[in-house]
Amino acid sequence: MCGIVGCILKDDEDVAPILLDCISKLEYRGYDSIGIATFHDNHINVKKDKGKIEEVDNKLDLADMPGNFGIAHVRWATHGDPSKLNSHPQLDEDNTVAVVHNGIIENYLEIKEKLTLEGHVFKSDTDTEVIPHLIQKFIKEKFDLEHAVRKTIDVIEGAYAIAAISLNEPDKIVATRKDSPLIVGIGDGGYYLASDSPAILKYARDIIYPERGEIVILDKEGVVVHDEFDNVVNKDIETINWTPEMAEKEGYDHFMIKEINEQASAVRNTLTQKENIQNIIDDLEGIERICFVACGTSYHASLTGKYLIESLAGIPTDVVLASEFKYSANTLNDKTLVIFISQSGETADSLKALDVANQTSKTLGIVNVAGSSITRRAQYVIQTQAGPEIGVAATKTYLSQLTAIYLFAALISNNAELLKELDNVPDFIDESLENVDLIEDLSRRYNFARDFFYLGRGYSYPTALEGALKLKEITYIHGEGYAAGELKHGPLALIDEGIPVVVIIPPGDNYRKTMSNLEEVKSRGANVLAIGAANDESLKAKADDVIPINENVKEIIAPLIYIVPLQLIAYYITLEKGHDPDKPKNLAKCVTVE
Ligand code: F6R
């Protein structure tokens, strides 16, 4: 998704190197173009083009721009191809207003038509370009920049975080948001805007979170926030406890492998949320039904939650994809707890569903990013403690989401045994990472496959889905996760000689039935790669390859450990194929459009 940054420095230093540094930290969001605008000597300088930041920087020398304030953008194309013209900043035709935008302007075509009739000439295919044109039009009607932005947001519909600069008002950046993320940083040397905190951690950790419709004005003296009636809003300043180093690779080749290696501590840190979770449970009286809402990997964590809560607490639990949630809204009431699971806390589909759920039900967000929109709109919040996750593929945040869900399920069902079991999980995770040499070897053998199947039963079924998703998103190999017992109802027809089938088969109640499914695929020629207990000799005899996991890992906690080799398989196959695991094509870390 697009990322925006803005900065105004207190002294007369050039801001471009800082803007470039900050916007580079948003590469992880997924992008195809980069651009910067600075203000200097009554002129807006713009450098922008399609391509990776490094390529465009080599061509245009992005840090070499005069001016002590400006805005920057990484674009993830929605309207119009990736190209220089469609890159942001977008400007009005006289180059008097520059704007960066994250989100989608839904009514841009009708605005464009109207402005064209008024004589405006548009150069790009973007929805964004209407914004600088509208701001310029209102400035010509004698509004100052703040009020021109205010008038503009009365006209545009959709989701946006916007930052604008204007020739008419030197030394000022005006920003606003609706349904797209935007934070404001207060640093020693200046004031900052960003789509996400990793962009500015190095410069500012005191953060203001603007609400929808608030207008933020940054100048050399400080930050002022106005509500829709022009009143000054006294915003709380919250200090982020993430450090700049946490958002660096720290010697690892990729963020993804760093984050996989940080999973034991992500789980350990999230286990500290036990008291907070108990307090929330104590407050939730009369809950008769739970409904999880999430997307992607967070959806898979939610599915594990259904298995846990229904089997341990006997509370009927549904799991709904956030983008499909509105069709379930009629079933909600005040005895329903709707739990939103999200790494970013900014996923547009989940936010829309949260607004619906808040009208009838109790809502709880389980979120990794502090201060994000879900944490501000849900009635209860559990903060997972994974630290910043930069790799696009969710890994350590998945395990920290699972940890919070396990704590919730264990506490709501008073299951002391499970609580105790959870304390062993970090060591089991670290031990599972010792399989890395074996997995590298398997990845060399399996990377030519075109299709993979992942099978699991019960608690291991969501793990199969998540393993397949990791494979698809970073290796671009087709992977399907199935409930092992479902395969014979259709997909078995796809099993051919040599097709890799990953079977998740921890010891426990589902073991024997899963073993029968393993034999079904084996007898049809599949190449079985099993993840099972280290002391399981019969598994070793039946599968082609086995990745061993400590035999003391019980089936109920297996999702927290058995996923680790599946993440590693996806990572090493990606390296074999020569792709960048941190930035898979077409994907974005934070999906702020519906
Ligand atoms: C996959 C992945 C995505 C996200 C999904 C939801 O590795 O990262 O599937 O899980 O886009 O995002 P959040 O959790 O931020 O709501």
Side-chain angles (χ1 to χ4, degrees), residues 263 265-271 273 301 341 343 366-368 382-387 389 395-407 429 560:
Q263 297 193 106
S265 61
V267 169
R268 216 174 270 121
N269 294 340
T270 303
L271 286 171
Q273 294 300 296
I341 309 284
Q343 179 282 129
I366 299 183
V367 182
N368 196 49
I382 300 170
Q383 174 98 41
T384 53
Q385 304 291 322
E389 185 175 72
T395 53
K396 63 175 179 171
T397 56
Y398 176 64
L399 280 194
S400 62
Q401 291 169 344
L402 281 179
T403 306
I405 293 170
Y406 270 82
L407 280 174
I429 291 175
L560 288 152

PDB file of all heavy atoms in Angstrom, residues 263 265-271 273 301 341 343 366-368 382-387 389 395-407 429 560:
ATOM      1  N   GLN A 263      10.730 -15.258  17.099  1.00  0.00           N
ATOM      2  CA  GLN A 263       9.385 -15.713  17.491  1.00  0.00           C
ATOM      3  C   GLN A 263       9.296 -16.164  18.944  1.00  0.00           C
ATOM      4  O   GLN A 263       8.293 -15.916  19.608  1.00  0.00           O
ATOM      5  CB  GLN A 263       8.909 -16.811  16.550  1.00  0.00           C
ATOM      6  CG  GLN A 263       8.783 -16.238  15.137  1.00  0.00           C
ATOM      7  CD  GLN A 263       8.037 -17.123  14.181  1.00  0.00           C
ATOM      8  OE1 GLN A 263       6.910 -16.835  13.845  1.00  0.00           O
ATOM      9  NE2 GLN A 263       8.661 -18.193  13.733  1.00  0.00           N
ATOM     10  N   SER A 265      10.852 -14.936  21.466  1.00  0.00           N
ATOM     11  CA  SER A 265      10.696 -13.776  22.359  1.00  0.00           C
ATOM     12  C   SER A 265       9.375 -13.063  22.114  1.00  0.00           C
ATOM     13  O   SER A 265       8.792 -12.502  23.043  1.00  0.00           O
ATOM     14  CB  SER A 265      11.897 -12.828  22.298  1.00  0.00           C
ATOM     15  OG  SER A 265      12.042 -12.336  21.025  1.00  0.00           O
ATOM     16  N   ALA A 266       8.844 -13.113  20.879  1.00  0.00           N
ATOM     17  CA  ALA A 266       7.519 -12.524  20.638  1.00  0.00           C
ATOM     18  C   ALA A 266       6.470 -13.252  21.487  1.00  0.00           C
ATOM     19  O   ALA A 266       5.585 -12.628  22.074  1.00  0.00           O
ATOM     20  CB  ALA A 266       7.165 -12.619  19.158  1.00  0.00           C
ATOM     21  N   VAL A 267       6.603 -14.576  21.575  1.00  0.00           N
ATOM     22  CA  VAL A 267       5.654 -15.356  22.389  1.00  0.00           C
ATOM     23  C   VAL A 267       5.866 -15.033  23.875  1.00  0.00           C
ATOM     24  O   VAL A 267       4.921 -14.751  24.613  1.00  0.00           O
ATOM     25  CB  VAL A 267       5.834 -16.871  22.122  1.00  0.00           C
ATOM     26  CG1 VAL A 267       5.066 -17.705  23.134  1.00  0.00           C
ATOM     27  CG2 VAL A 267       5.375 -17.188  20.702  1.00  0.00           C
ATOM     28  N   ARG A 268       7.140 -15.054  24.298  1.00  0.00           N
ATOM     29  CA  ARG A 268       7.450 -14.770  25.709  1.00  0.00           C
ATOM     30  C   ARG A 268       6.894 -13.406  26.107  1.00  0.00           C
ATOM     31  O   ARG A 268       6.245 -13.262  27.139  1.00  0.00           O
ATOM     32  CB  ARG A 268       8.976 -14.796  25.875  1.00  0.00           C
ATOM     33  CG  ARG A 268       9.415 -15.362  27.198  1.00  0.00           C
ATOM     34  CD  ARG A 268      10.929 -15.520  27.274  1.00  0.00           C
ATOM     35  NE  ARG A 268      11.392 -16.806  26.801  1.00  0.00           N
ATOM     36  CZ  ARG A 268      12.252 -16.990  25.787  1.00  0.00           C
ATOM     37  NH1 ARG A 268      12.736 -15.963  25.116  1.00  0.00           N
ATOM     38  NH2 ARG A 268      12.620 -18.204  25.436  1.00  0.00           N
ATOM     39  N   ASN A 269       7.123 -12.400  25.278  1.00  0.00           N
ATOM     40  CA  ASN A 269       6.655 -11.047  25.616  1.00  0.00           C
ATOM     41  C   ASN A 269       5.131 -10.963  25.625  1.00  0.00           C
ATOM     42  O   ASN A 269       4.550 -10.238  26.431  1.00  0.00           O
ATOM     43  CB  ASN A 269       7.221 -10.021  24.635  1.00  0.00           C
ATOM     44  CG  ASN A 269       8.727  -9.904  24.752  1.00  0.00           C
ATOM     45  OD1 ASN A 269       9.298 -10.293  25.766  1.00  0.00           O
ATOM     46  ND2 ASN A 269       9.379  -9.401  23.720  1.00  0.00           N
ATOM     47  N   THR A 270       4.488 -11.694  24.737  1.00  0.00           N
ATOM     48  CA  THR A 270       3.018 -11.629  24.689  1.00  0.00           C
ATOM     49  C   THR A 270       2.402 -12.365  25.883  1.00  0.00           C
ATOM     50  O   THR A 270       1.316 -12.003  26.347  1.00  0.00           O
ATOM     51  CB  THR A 270       2.508 -12.162  23.338  1.00  0.00           C
ATOM     52  OG1 THR A 270       3.135 -11.389  22.298  1.00  0.00           O
ATOM     53  CG2 THR A 270       1.004 -12.006  23.196  1.00  0.00           C
ATOM     54  N   LEU A 271       3.135 -13.362  26.409  1.00  0.00           N
ATOM     55  CA  LEU A 271       2.622 -14.061  27.603  1.00  0.00           C
ATOM     56  C   LEU A 271       2.473 -13.109  28.795  1.00  0.00           C
ATOM     57  O   LEU A 271       1.701 -13.367  29.713  1.00  0.00           O
ATOM     58  CB  LEU A 271       3.533 -15.241  27.967  1.00  0.00           C
ATOM     59  CG  LEU A 271       3.423 -16.467  27.048  1.00  0.00           C
ATOM     60  CD1 LEU A 271       4.511 -17.500  27.359  1.00  0.00           C
ATOM     61  CD2 LEU A 271       2.047 -17.121  27.158  1.00  0.00           C
ATOM     62  N   GLN A 273       0.910 -10.527  28.846  1.00  0.00           N
ATOM     63  CA  GLN A 273      -0.410  -9.861  28.760  1.00  0.00           C
ATOM     64  C   GLN A 273      -1.494 -10.599  29.551  1.00  0.00           C
ATOM     65  O   GLN A 273      -2.662 -10.223  29.515  1.00  0.00           O
ATOM     66  CB  GLN A 273      -0.840  -9.763  27.290  1.00  0.00           C
ATOM     67  CG  GLN A 273       0.032  -8.869  26.451  1.00  0.00           C
ATOM     68  CD  GLN A 273       0.036  -7.453  26.997  1.00  0.00           C
ATOM     69  OE1 GLN A 273      -0.973  -6.773  27.027  1.00  0.00           O
ATOM     70  NE2 GLN A 273       1.199  -7.020  27.472  1.00  0.00           N
ATOM     71  N   ALA A 301      -4.993 -17.441  12.444  1.00  0.00           N
ATOM     72  CA  ALA A 301      -4.865 -17.419  13.915  1.00  0.00           C
ATOM     73  C   ALA A 301      -6.260 -17.509  14.533  1.00  0.00           C
ATOM     74  O   ALA A 301      -6.481 -18.235  15.512  1.00  0.00           O
ATOM     75  CB  ALA A 301      -4.148 -16.136  14.356  1.00  0.00           C
ATOM     76  N   ILE A 341      -8.693  -9.618  14.932  1.00  0.00           N
ATOM     77  CA  ILE A 341      -7.269  -9.959  15.008  1.00  0.00           C
ATOM     78  C   ILE A 341      -6.581  -9.247  13.858  1.00  0.00           C
ATOM     79  O   ILE A 341      -6.980  -9.394  12.693  1.00  0.00           O
ATOM     80  CB  ILE A 341      -7.048 -11.488  14.830  1.00  0.00           C
ATOM     81  CG1 ILE A 341      -7.944 -12.305  15.776  1.00  0.00           C
ATOM     82  CG2 ILE A 341      -5.588 -11.844  15.007  1.00  0.00           C
ATOM     83  CD1 ILE A 341      -7.509 -12.347  17.187  1.00  0.00           C
ATOM     84  N   GLN A 343      -2.496  -7.644  12.670  1.00  0.00           N
ATOM     85  CA  GLN A 343      -1.120  -7.197  12.918  1.00  0.00           C
ATOM     86  C   GLN A 343      -1.064  -5.686  12.902  1.00  0.00           C
ATOM     87  O   GLN A 343      -0.614  -5.040  13.834  1.00  0.00           O
ATOM     88  CB  GLN A 343      -0.207  -7.813  11.848  1.00  0.00           C
ATOM     89  CG  GLN A 343       1.262  -7.451  11.910  1.00  0.00           C
ATOM     90  CD  GLN A 343       1.594  -6.073  11.351  1.00  0.00           C
ATOM     91  OE1 GLN A 343       2.266  -5.281  12.027  1.00  0.00           O
ATOM     92  NE2 GLN A 343       1.127  -5.744  10.172  1.00  0.00           N
ATOM     93  N   ILE A 366      -7.188  -7.592  18.956  1.00  0.00           N
ATOM     94  CA  ILE A 366      -5.882  -8.190  19.305  1.00  0.00           C
ATOM     95  C   ILE A 366      -4.935  -7.714  18.216  1.00  0.00           C
ATOM     96  O   ILE A 366      -5.008  -8.165  17.070  1.00  0.00           O
ATOM     97  CB  ILE A 366      -5.974  -9.730  19.392  1.00  0.00           C
ATOM     98  CG1 ILE A 366      -6.969 -10.126  20.497  1.00  0.00           C
ATOM     99  CG2 ILE A 366      -4.604 -10.340  19.648  1.00  0.00           C
ATOM    100  CD1 ILE A 366      -7.104 -11.626  20.755  1.00  0.00           C
ATOM    101  N   VAL A 367      -4.080  -6.745  18.551  1.00  0.00           N
ATOM    102  CA  VAL A 367      -3.383  -5.946  17.545  1.00  0.00           C
ATOM    103  C   VAL A 367      -1.916  -5.760  17.932  1.00  0.00           C
ATOM    104  O   VAL A 367      -1.604  -5.622  19.120  1.00  0.00           O
ATOM    105  CB  VAL A 367      -4.060  -4.543  17.438  1.00  0.00           C
ATOM    106  CG1 VAL A 367      -3.397  -3.698  16.378  1.00  0.00           C
ATOM    107  CG2 VAL A 367      -5.547  -4.673  17.148  1.00  0.00           C
ATOM    108  N   ASN A 368      -1.045  -5.719  16.926  1.00  0.00           N
ATOM    109  CA  ASN A 368       0.382  -5.534  17.235  1.00  0.00           C
ATOM    110  C   ASN A 368       0.812  -4.073  17.244  1.00  0.00           C
ATOM    111  O   ASN A 368       1.726  -3.710  17.969  1.00  0.00           O
ATOM    112  CB  ASN A 368       1.236  -6.321  16.235  1.00  0.00           C
ATOM    113  CG  ASN A 368       2.660  -6.485  16.729  1.00  0.00           C
ATOM    114  OD1 ASN A 368       2.874  -6.889  17.871  1.00  0.00           O
ATOM    115  ND2 ASN A 368       3.622  -6.132  15.909  1.00  0.00           N
ATOM    116  N   ILE A 382      -6.092  -6.042  23.333  1.00  0.00           N
ATOM    117  CA  ILE A 382      -4.922  -6.807  23.787  1.00  0.00           C
ATOM    118  C   ILE A 382      -3.809  -6.476  22.807  1.00  0.00           C
ATOM    119  O   ILE A 382      -3.967  -6.645  21.593  1.00  0.00           O
ATOM    120  CB  ILE A 382      -5.179  -8.333  23.772  1.00  0.00           C
ATOM    121  CG1 ILE A 382      -6.350  -8.684  24.690  1.00  0.00           C
ATOM    122  CG2 ILE A 382      -3.916  -9.078  24.177  1.00  0.00           C
ATOM    123  CD1 ILE A 382      -6.823 -10.133  24.541  1.00  0.00           C
ATOM    124  N   GLN A 383      -2.700  -5.994  23.357  1.00  0.00           N
ATOM    125  CA  GLN A 383      -1.593  -5.599  22.501  1.00  0.00           C
ATOM    126  C   GLN A 383      -0.620  -6.774  22.409  1.00  0.00           C
ATOM    127  O   GLN A 383      -0.053  -7.180  23.425  1.00  0.00           O
ATOM    128  CB  GLN A 383      -0.930  -4.392  23.155  1.00  0.00           C
ATOM    129  CG  GLN A 383       0.312  -3.910  22.500  1.00  0.00           C
ATOM    130  CD  GLN A 383       0.004  -2.743  21.586  1.00  0.00           C
ATOM    131  OE1 GLN A 383      -0.775  -1.869  21.925  1.00  0.00           O
ATOM    132  NE2 GLN A 383       0.658  -2.738  20.450  1.00  0.00           N
ATOM    133  N   THR A 384      -0.452  -7.339  21.209  1.00  0.00           N
ATOM    134  CA  THR A 384       0.558  -8.399  21.082  1.00  0.00           C
ATOM    135  C   THR A 384       1.934  -7.737  21.112  1.00  0.00           C
ATOM    136  O   THR A 384       2.082  -6.573  20.756  1.00  0.00           O
ATOM    137  CB  THR A 384       0.363  -9.199  19.778  1.00  0.00           C
ATOM    138  OG1 THR A 384       0.311  -8.290  18.674  1.00  0.00           O
ATOM    139  CG2 THR A 384      -0.932  -9.987  19.821  1.00  0.00           C
ATOM    140  N   GLN A 385       2.909  -8.495  21.566  1.00  0.00           N
ATOM    141  CA  GLN A 385       4.213  -7.869  21.864  1.00  0.00           C
ATOM    142  C   GLN A 385       5.292  -8.412  20.936  1.00  0.00           C
ATOM    143  O   GLN A 385       6.338  -8.853  21.379  1.00  0.00           O
ATOM    144  CB  GLN A 385       4.585  -8.140  23.328  1.00  0.00           C
ATOM    145  CG  GLN A 385       3.539  -7.684  24.320  1.00  0.00           C
ATOM    146  CD  GLN A 385       3.433  -6.162  24.397  1.00  0.00           C
ATOM    147  OE1 GLN A 385       4.432  -5.461  24.317  1.00  0.00           O
ATOM    148  NE2 GLN A 385       2.222  -5.640  24.498  1.00  0.00           N
ATOM    149  N   ALA A 386       5.032  -8.358  19.628  1.00  0.00           N
ATOM    150  CA  ALA A 386       5.993  -8.911  18.678  1.00  0.00           C
ATOM    151  C   ALA A 386       7.054  -7.888  18.276  1.00  0.00           C
ATOM    152  O   ALA A 386       8.056  -8.250  17.670  1.00  0.00           O
ATOM    153  CB  ALA A 386       5.263  -9.416  17.442  1.00  0.00           C
ATOM    154  N   GLY A 387       6.838  -6.602  18.571  1.00  0.00           N
ATOM    155  CA  GLY A 387       7.735  -5.569  18.035  1.00  0.00           C
ATOM    156  C   GLY A 387       7.396  -5.345  16.570  1.00  0.00           C
ATOM    157  O   GLY A 387       6.523  -6.034  16.011  1.00  0.00           O
ATOM    158  N   GLU A 389       7.033  -5.564  12.728  1.00  0.00           N
ATOM    159  CA  GLU A 389       7.238  -6.623  11.729  1.00  0.00           C
ATOM    160  C   GLU A 389       7.325  -5.942  10.370  1.00  0.00           C
ATOM    161  O   GLU A 389       6.391  -5.273   9.936  1.00  0.00           O
ATOM    162  CB  GLU A 389       6.084  -7.612  11.758  1.00  0.00           C
ATOM    163  CG  GLU A 389       6.312  -8.803  10.826  1.00  0.00           C
ATOM    164  CD  GLU A 389       5.190  -9.828  10.968  1.00  0.00           C
ATOM    165  OE1 GLU A 389       4.071  -9.541  10.495  1.00  0.00           O
ATOM    166  OE2 GLU A 389       5.423 -10.885  11.560  1.00  0.00           O
ATOM    167  N   THR A 395       4.931 -13.450  10.334  1.00  0.00           N
ATOM    168  CA  THR A 395       5.509 -14.637  10.993  1.00  0.00           C
ATOM    169  C   THR A 395       5.412 -14.467  12.506  1.00  0.00           C
ATOM    170  O   THR A 395       4.551 -15.046  13.149  1.00  0.00           O
ATOM    171  CB  THR A 395       6.981 -14.853  10.560  1.00  0.00           C
ATOM    172  OG1 THR A 395       7.721 -13.633  10.769  1.00  0.00           O
ATOM    173  CG2 THR A 395       7.083 -15.285   9.125  1.00  0.00           C
ATOM    174  N   LYS A 396       6.269 -13.566  13.060  1.00  0.00           N
ATOM    175  CA  LYS A 396       6.268 -13.446  14.525  1.00  0.00           C
ATOM    176  C   LYS A 396       4.968 -12.833  15.031  1.00  0.00           C
ATOM    177  O   LYS A 396       4.555 -13.098  16.155  1.00  0.00           O
ATOM    178  CB  LYS A 396       7.475 -12.638  15.015  1.00  0.00           C
ATOM    179  CG  LYS A 396       7.513 -11.199  14.555  1.00  0.00           C
ATOM    180  CD  LYS A 396       8.681 -10.456  15.211  1.00  0.00           C
ATOM    181  CE  LYS A 396       8.764  -9.021  14.741  1.00  0.00           C
ATOM    182  NZ  LYS A 396       9.708  -8.223  15.483  1.00  0.00           N
ATOM    183  N   THR A 397       4.292 -12.050  14.199  1.00  0.00           N
ATOM    184  CA  THR A 397       3.015 -11.492  14.680  1.00  0.00           C
ATOM    185  C   THR A 397       1.949 -12.584  14.710  1.00  0.00           C
ATOM    186  O   THR A 397       1.061 -12.546  15.550  1.00  0.00           O
ATOM    187  CB  THR A 397       2.545 -10.304  13.820  1.00  0.00           C
ATOM    188  OG1 THR A 397       2.464 -10.706  12.462  1.00  0.00           O
ATOM    189  CG2 THR A 397       3.476  -9.114  13.955  1.00  0.00           C
ATOM    190  N   TYR A 398       2.054 -13.565  13.790  1.00  0.00           N
ATOM    191  CA  TYR A 398       1.111 -14.702  13.823  1.00  0.00           C
ATOM    192  C   TYR A 398       1.260 -15.451  15.149  1.00  0.00           C
ATOM    193  O   TYR A 398       0.288 -15.736  15.827  1.00  0.00           O
ATOM    194  CB  TYR A 398       1.409 -15.622  12.633  1.00  0.00           C
ATOM    195  CG  TYR A 398       0.590 -16.893  12.578  1.00  0.00           C
ATOM    196  CD1 TYR A 398      -0.787 -16.851  12.419  1.00  0.00           C
ATOM    197  CD2 TYR A 398       1.208 -18.141  12.653  1.00  0.00           C
ATOM    198  CE1 TYR A 398      -1.542 -18.022  12.351  1.00  0.00           C
ATOM    199  CE2 TYR A 398       0.473 -19.314  12.583  1.00  0.00           C
ATOM    200  CZ  TYR A 398      -0.903 -19.253  12.423  1.00  0.00           C
ATOM    201  OH  TYR A 398      -1.641 -20.407  12.352  1.00  0.00           O
ATOM    202  N   LEU A 399       2.525 -15.725  15.520  1.00  0.00           N
ATOM    203  CA  LEU A 399       2.721 -16.463  16.764  1.00  0.00           C
ATOM    204  C   LEU A 399       2.313 -15.645  17.982  1.00  0.00           C
ATOM    205  O   LEU A 399       1.815 -16.185  18.973  1.00  0.00           O
ATOM    206  CB  LEU A 399       4.177 -16.926  16.888  1.00  0.00           C
ATOM    207  CG  LEU A 399       4.492 -18.179  16.075  1.00  0.00           C
ATOM    208  CD1 LEU A 399       5.810 -18.789  16.492  1.00  0.00           C
ATOM    209  CD2 LEU A 399       3.405 -19.229  16.218  1.00  0.00           C
ATOM    210  N   SER A 400       2.489 -14.332  17.918  1.00  0.00           N
ATOM    211  CA  SER A 400       2.064 -13.546  19.085  1.00  0.00           C
ATOM    212  C   SER A 400       0.539 -13.420  19.128  1.00  0.00           C
ATOM    213  O   SER A 400      -0.049 -13.410  20.201  1.00  0.00           O
ATOM    214  CB  SER A 400       2.773 -12.188  19.129  1.00  0.00           C
ATOM    215  OG  SER A 400       2.443 -11.453  18.005  1.00  0.00           O
ATOM    216  N   GLN A 401      -0.108 -13.397  17.965  1.00  0.00           N
ATOM    217  CA  GLN A 401      -1.588 -13.417  17.954  1.00  0.00           C
ATOM    218  C   GLN A 401      -2.084 -14.730  18.563  1.00  0.00           C
ATOM    219  O   GLN A 401      -2.985 -14.756  19.401  1.00  0.00           O
ATOM    220  CB  GLN A 401      -2.122 -13.344  16.514  1.00  0.00           C
ATOM    221  CG  GLN A 401      -1.902 -12.021  15.832  1.00  0.00           C
ATOM    222  CD  GLN A 401      -2.207 -12.082  14.332  1.00  0.00           C
ATOM    223  OE1 GLN A 401      -2.295 -13.151  13.740  1.00  0.00           O
ATOM    224  NE2 GLN A 401      -2.366 -10.921  13.723  1.00  0.00           N
ATOM    225  N   LEU A 402      -1.451 -15.839  18.105  1.00  0.00           N
ATOM    226  CA  LEU A 402      -1.853 -17.140  18.649  1.00  0.00           C
ATOM    227  C   LEU A 402      -1.668 -17.168  20.159  1.00  0.00           C
ATOM    228  O   LEU A 402      -2.515 -17.673  20.895  1.00  0.00           O
ATOM    229  CB  LEU A 402      -1.021 -18.263  18.013  1.00  0.00           C
ATOM    230  CG  LEU A 402      -1.414 -18.718  16.615  1.00  0.00           C
ATOM    231  CD1 LEU A 402      -0.468 -19.822  16.143  1.00  0.00           C
ATOM    232  CD2 LEU A 402      -2.845 -19.257  16.590  1.00  0.00           C
ATOM    233  N   THR A 403      -0.551 -16.599  20.631  1.00  0.00           N
ATOM    234  CA  THR A 403      -0.284 -16.607  22.073  1.00  0.00           C
ATOM    235  C   THR A 403      -1.390 -15.884  22.829  1.00  0.00           C
ATOM    236  O   THR A 403      -1.897 -16.378  23.848  1.00  0.00           O
ATOM    237  CB  THR A 403       1.077 -15.938  22.368  1.00  0.00           C
ATOM    238  OG1 THR A 403       2.059 -16.583  21.566  1.00  0.00           O
ATOM    239  CG2 THR A 403       1.462 -16.034  23.829  1.00  0.00           C
ATOM    240  N   ALA A 404      -1.791 -14.716  22.320  1.00  0.00           N
ATOM    241  CA  ALA A 404      -2.868 -13.963  22.983  1.00  0.00           C
ATOM    242  C   ALA A 404      -4.168 -14.767  22.962  1.00  0.00           C
ATOM    243  O   ALA A 404      -4.907 -14.814  23.949  1.00  0.00           O
ATOM    244  CB  ALA A 404      -3.060 -12.612  22.288  1.00  0.00           C
ATOM    245  N   ILE A 405      -4.431 -15.445  21.836  1.00  0.00           N
ATOM    246  CA  ILE A 405      -5.661 -16.242  21.730  1.00  0.00           C
ATOM    247  C   ILE A 405      -5.612 -17.440  22.689  1.00  0.00           C
ATOM    248  O   ILE A 405      -6.593 -17.769  23.355  1.00  0.00           O
ATOM    249  CB  ILE A 405      -5.861 -16.705  20.266  1.00  0.00           C
ATOM    250  CG1 ILE A 405      -6.142 -15.495  19.363  1.00  0.00           C
ATOM    251  CG2 ILE A 405      -6.976 -17.726  20.159  1.00  0.00           C
ATOM    252  CD1 ILE A 405      -6.107 -15.795  17.877  1.00  0.00           C
ATOM    253  N   TYR A 406      -4.448 -18.082  22.766  1.00  0.00           N
ATOM    254  CA  TYR A 406      -4.313 -19.207  23.705  1.00  0.00           C
ATOM    255  C   TYR A 406      -4.532 -18.734  25.139  1.00  0.00           C
ATOM    256  O   TYR A 406      -5.203 -19.402  25.932  1.00  0.00           O
ATOM    257  CB  TYR A 406      -2.915 -19.848  23.583  1.00  0.00           C
ATOM    258  CG  TYR A 406      -2.849 -20.967  22.570  1.00  0.00           C
ATOM    259  CD1 TYR A 406      -2.707 -20.694  21.223  1.00  0.00           C
ATOM    260  CD2 TYR A 406      -2.943 -22.303  22.957  1.00  0.00           C
ATOM    261  CE1 TYR A 406      -2.660 -21.715  20.278  1.00  0.00           C
ATOM    262  CE2 TYR A 406      -2.899 -23.322  22.029  1.00  0.00           C
ATOM    263  CZ  TYR A 406      -2.753 -23.019  20.686  1.00  0.00           C
ATOM    264  OH  TYR A 406      -2.713 -24.039  19.761  1.00  0.00           O
ATOM    265  N   LEU A 407      -3.941 -17.577  25.485  1.00  0.00           N
ATOM    266  CA  LEU A 407      -4.135 -17.053  26.849  1.00  0.00           C
ATOM    267  C   LEU A 407      -5.615 -16.801  27.099  1.00  0.00           C
ATOM    268  O   LEU A 407      -6.156 -17.158  28.146  1.00  0.00           O
ATOM    269  CB  LEU A 407      -3.360 -15.743  27.035  1.00  0.00           C
ATOM    270  CG  LEU A 407      -1.862 -15.851  27.322  1.00  0.00           C
ATOM    271  CD1 LEU A 407      -1.228 -14.456  27.334  1.00  0.00           C
ATOM    272  CD2 LEU A 407      -1.604 -16.553  28.668  1.00  0.00           C
ATOM    273  N   ILE A 429       9.917 -23.502  20.340  1.00  0.00           N
ATOM    274  CA  ILE A 429      10.095 -22.758  19.074  1.00  0.00           C
ATOM    275  C   ILE A 429      11.576 -22.691  18.727  1.00  0.00           C
ATOM    276  O   ILE A 429      11.988 -22.997  17.594  1.00  0.00           O
ATOM    277  CB  ILE A 429       9.496 -21.338  19.185  1.00  0.00           C
ATOM    278  CG1 ILE A 429       7.973 -21.409  19.262  1.00  0.00           C
ATOM    279  CG2 ILE A 429       9.939 -20.463  18.016  1.00  0.00           C
ATOM    280  CD1 ILE A 429       7.285 -20.071  19.493  1.00  0.00           C
ATOM    281  N   LEU A 560       1.540 -23.569  17.675  1.00  0.00           N
ATOM    282  CA  LEU A 560       2.546 -22.552  18.018  1.00  0.00           C
ATOM    283  C   LEU A 560       3.953 -22.973  17.617  1.00  0.00           C
ATOM    284  O   LEU A 560       4.877 -22.148  17.631  1.00  0.00           O
ATOM    285  CB  LEU A 560       2.513 -22.284  19.532  1.00  0.00           C
ATOM    286  CG  LEU A 560       1.290 -21.521  20.035  1.00  0.00           C
ATOM    287  CD1 LEU A 560       0.976 -21.878  21.482  1.00  0.00           C
ATOM    288  CD2 LEU A 560       1.517 -20.029  19.897  1.00  0.00           C
TER     289      LEU A 560
END
